[in-house]
Structures are given as C-alpha cells and as structure tokens.
Amino acid sequence: MKQSKFPFILTIIVLIFFWLPIIILMFNSFNASRFGSVWGGFTLKWYDRLFSDSNVWRSVQNTAIVTIVSTAVSLVIGSLAGFALHRYKSKFQKVHMGLIWVPLVIPDILMGMSLLLFFISIKVPLGLFTIILGHITFCISYVAVTILARLQDFDYTIVEAARDLGARGWTLFRKIYIPLLTPGLLAGAMLSITLSLDDFIITFFTAGPGSSTLPLQIYSMIKFGTPPVINALSTLFLMLTFLLAIIYQRLSRRNS
C-alpha cells in the first residue's frame, strides 16, 4: 500500500509559514531601501545605525541584568520548590502545587496589572528591581515544573549508596544531586532566560523611567517608525537565540 504524502506536504507548508516571515525580516535587515517591499541593494547601514544608538544598548544592558538576576534567583527557589513538592507529601502540598501552576495559566496582562497595583500599594518605585521581581514570579514556576519532571525518574538508591560510603551534606549535594539534576537545571535555566528575554506585557506594567528593556525599546521604535533598524536588531536577537539553543544542546549531550 502506497503511503500518503499529505503529512509530509502539510509539514513543509507549516514550516514555510513559520519561517518565511523570519527569513524576509533577515533579508530586509540588509536592504538599502527603507521599505521592505522594494530591494534597494545590499547594505550594512542599518546595523551601523543600530550600533550607534545608545538607547538600544542601554535597553540591552537592562535586559541582560534582568535576565541574569531573575534566572539565577528563579533557579535556586524553583529547584527547592520542585524538590519539596517531590520529596514531601501532605495536604499543604496541594496548595503548594496550585501556587506553582497559577503563574503558568494566568494571563500575563492580569499578572502585570496585579504586580503594578501591588508595587504602588506598598510604595515601591518602579524600575529594574520591580521588573526583576515580576520576572521571578513566573520563572520560578517553569523551573519548579522542570525540576519536578526530572525528579520523577530520580534514582534515590544512588543517594543511599553514597550515604553508606560516608557522603554527607555538601558532598552529597555536590557529587550526587547536582550531576543528576543538571539536565533539569539547564532546561529550567534556558526556559527562564528565553521567557525573560521575550517578556513584554509584565515588563510593560512593572517598568519605570530609565528601565526600558529590549522588548519595550523595540515597541518604542515601532511607534516612532524605524523598521529597518528593528530588522537588524531582530536579526541579532534571533542569532543570539540560536546560539543559546546550540550551547544548551551541546551541554545536554555532554552531560548525558
């Protein structure tokens, strides 16, 4: 019986639908014409204008600070939360699990408005600090769920064997838990980095003067009409995403 080619053709169409706009955006970042519908020749002037824009690089710096701090804090708290959910069973853990899942399903605009009202009510000035707190609130849940999934296949006989051989405290944590949980930690960190870099709505509500991140800067540039520079910035951002994905895959293969 001859196999149908429809699934293959449908897959190709879907991939083209996903990737064609991105490829067009990358080509337009090298287009000398200001309008993407007309090819005006190859140029690097949009990249030159991008690198000379101090506002863009200030937003890149803010984005890096927010991403690194929120990922680091979320990785610690989320890992502890995932371990507690897996290790200890009680009625309170159902509430704990609910608190972990709520940020995953609640609309971003609702979370952003809630955080804004909360910061205003306790009179915390909006800035990088409030953006970091906002990102931590949802990154913790992704890390906890990832670690919890990793712990489902965790072999505690290795821990018991290490204890029989005299491993205690920090040695047990460093030699046993960390190596076995590294794939989950890397996955949680990559999710946190990606979500933090990409977040706009929560950042929009929690940002203050002088704390614009890259998504907010791109939104501002669109309003004032500089699409070619946005194409160049988006291309660099896309290359960074690919680089992070390649690094993650190589680290995962090395650990496995």
Side-chain angles (χ1 to χ4, degrees), residues 45-202:
K45 67 178 181 179
W46 306 122
Y47 287 91
D48 180 65
R49 186 174 299 181
L50 172 65
F51 287 122
S52 61
D53 192 336
S54 60
N55 292 328
V56 171
W57 296 110
R58 189 180 301 111
S59 66
V60 170
Q61 181 181 357
N62 292 337
T63 302
I65 294 172
V66 171
T67 300
I68 293 172
V69 176
S70 61
T71 299
V73 176
S74 301
L75 202 58
V76 174
I77 302 177
S79 300
L80 295 175
F83 184 81
L85 286 169
H86 178 74
R87 190 66 172 174
Y88 305 103
K89 305 298 181 182
S90 65
K91 294 181 179 179
F92 177 74
Q93 290 296 69
K94 295 181 180 180
V95 179
H96 188 185
M97 180 64 77
L99 294 175
I100 292 296
W101 279 102
V102 164
L104 300 179
V105 297
I106 192 172
D108 286 348
I109 189 169
L110 180 58
M111 181 178 291
M113 292 174 60
S114 301
L115 288 170
L116 175 61
L117 294 174
F118 174 72
F119 292 140
I120 292 176
S121 63
I122 63 176
K123 298 181 180 180
V124 175
L126 300 180
L128 284 180
F129 179 69
T130 54
I131 295 176
I132 292 172
L133 291 180
H135 285 209
I136 290 174
T137 55
F138 64 83
C139 286
I140 285 177
S141 297
Y142 286 94
V143 175
V145 171
T146 305
I147 294 298
L148 187 60
R150 178 63 180 172
L151 287 171
Q152 301 299 324
D153 300 326
F154 194 84
D155 189 2
Y156 282 97
T157 59
I158 300 176
V159 178
E160 299 299 330
R163 286 176 177 171
D164 292 339
L165 294 174
R168 294 292 185 273
W170 173 248
T171 302
L172 191 66
F173 178 77
R174 183 170 57 90
K175 297 281 188 172
I176 304 299
Y177 282 106
I178 292 297
L180 292 178
L181 292 177
T182 295
L185 293 172
L186 288 176
M190 288 299 300
L191 278 173
S192 297
I193 291 173
T194 304
L195 292 168
S196 182
L197 287 174
D198 186 58
D199 182 76
F200 172 80
I201 298 177
I202 296 176

Side-chain angles (χ1 to χ4, degrees), residues 12-30:
I12 297 297
I13 293 174
V14 171
L15 290 175
I16 292 175
F17 177 78
F18 281 153
W19 284 99
L20 187 60
I22 298 176
I23 294 173
I24 293 175
L25 180 145
M26 296 175 65
F27 272 107
N28 282 330
S29 69
F30 301 101

Side-chain angles (χ1 to χ4, degrees), residues 223-241:
K223 289 176 61 178
F224 290 103
T226 54
V229 178
I230 296 174
N231 293 338
L233 179 60
S234 301
T235 301
L236 293 179
F237 200 51
L238 185 64
M239 295 299 103
L240 176 62
T241 304

